[in-house]
Amino acid sequence: NLQAEKRFGYRRDELIGQKVTNIIPDGFAERLIADDLRSDEDALAQQIGTGIELTAHRKDGSEFPIEIMLSPLGSVEGILVTAAIRDISARKKAEAHLLKKVDELSRSNEELGQFAYIASHDLQEPLRKIQSFGNLLNTRHGQLLPDEGQTYVRRMCDDAARMQQLIDDL
């Protein structure tokens, strides 16, 4: 058809009567031919290569990815194989782009994990000091502080405990 002519770079009259190996890899076409080991009925019953991804060859020798779906078809001339071929260049490009993004995201997540570990480690030491001195102040001098001072010390200790929980969660 016209799309096949455009994709493969051949005119219709150049392809009619030619071997399918002109456009798909060597060896693949040979596997499709019903041989003496398989009956015509078996060949007709089999859906050959549904959704197989291959590399196709253009007339100019360049290659491009295709998906080929082949089915045997009985006719008065014997078994024919019908082929539906789809150019999957755009899909392959999108898949490669997606894999690249997944790689970048994995790397970014790893870096973020390392940052979180370092940040939490570095934040814990000064926090431990605040908690220790706050508890020490409350234990040794809490009763000597006015009510407002006791409230400040209690809030400092509570907030330090809350920050410790946030760091642990990080």
Side-chain angles (χ1 to χ4, degrees):
N1 64 23
L2 185 58
Q3 284 301 315
E5 290 180 52
K6 287 179 182 178
R7 294 282 185 253
F8 291 97
Y10 289 96
R11 293 185 323 273
R12 183 178 311 227
D13 62 322
E14 292 177 297
L15 283 178
I16 293 176
Q18 298 299 314
K19 293 182 178 183
V20 74
T21 54
N22 288 348
I23 59 172
I24 62 172
D26 293 336
F28 183 74
E30 288 76 7
R31 293 189 340 230
L32 305 178
I33 300 169
D35 56 29
D36 293 336
L37 302 175
R38 183 165 64 154
S39 71
D40 289 349
E41 293 78 26
D42 289 342
L44 278 172
Q46 183 182 10
Q47 290 294 314
I48 304 172
T50 301
I52 295 173
E53 291 185 11
L54 299 169
T55 300
H57 306 282
R58 291 189 181 97
K59 183 178 179 179
D60 66 7
S62 62
E63 297 179 340
F64 65 105
I66 62 168
E67 180 178 69
I68 186 167
M69 291 167 272
L70 300 158
S71 297
L73 179 66
S75 75
V76 292
E77 300 162 356
I79 296 176
L80 300 174
V81 177
T82 61
I85 298 173
R86 176 181 299 158
D87 182 345
I88 56 172
S89 298
R91 183 175 86 197
K92 288 295 186 182
K93 186 177 179 180
E95 286 172 358
H97 179 72
L98 182 60
L99 285 175
K100 181 181 174 189
K101 292 298 180 186
V102 166
D103 242 12
E104 289 172 7
L105 184 59
S106 294
R107 224 175 5 263
S108 177
N109 282 344
E110 187 176 320
E111 290 171 4
L112 183 59
Q114 289 173 353
F115 169 76
Y117 175 78
I118 291 168
S120 70
H121 181 268
D122 290 350
L123 290 172
Q124 287 189 50
E125 185 56 33
L127 182 60
R128 281 190 201 106
K129 296 240 190 267
I130 292 169
Q131 287 174 314
S132 294
F133 284 117
N135 289 333
L136 191 60
L137 180 63
N138 191 35
T139 303
R140 290 189 182 173
H141 306 289
Q143 298 302 321
L144 302 176
L145 295 172
D147 288 345
E148 186 179 29
Q150 291 178 16
T151 300
Y152 291 157
V153 170
R154 188 177 62 253
R155 286 178 63 189
M156 179 180 66
C157 291
D158 290 346
D159 287 345
R162 200 170 95 227
M163 181 172 262
Q164 180 64 54
Q165 185 60 50
L166 290 172
I167 291 172
D168 290 344
D169 291 346
L170 179 65

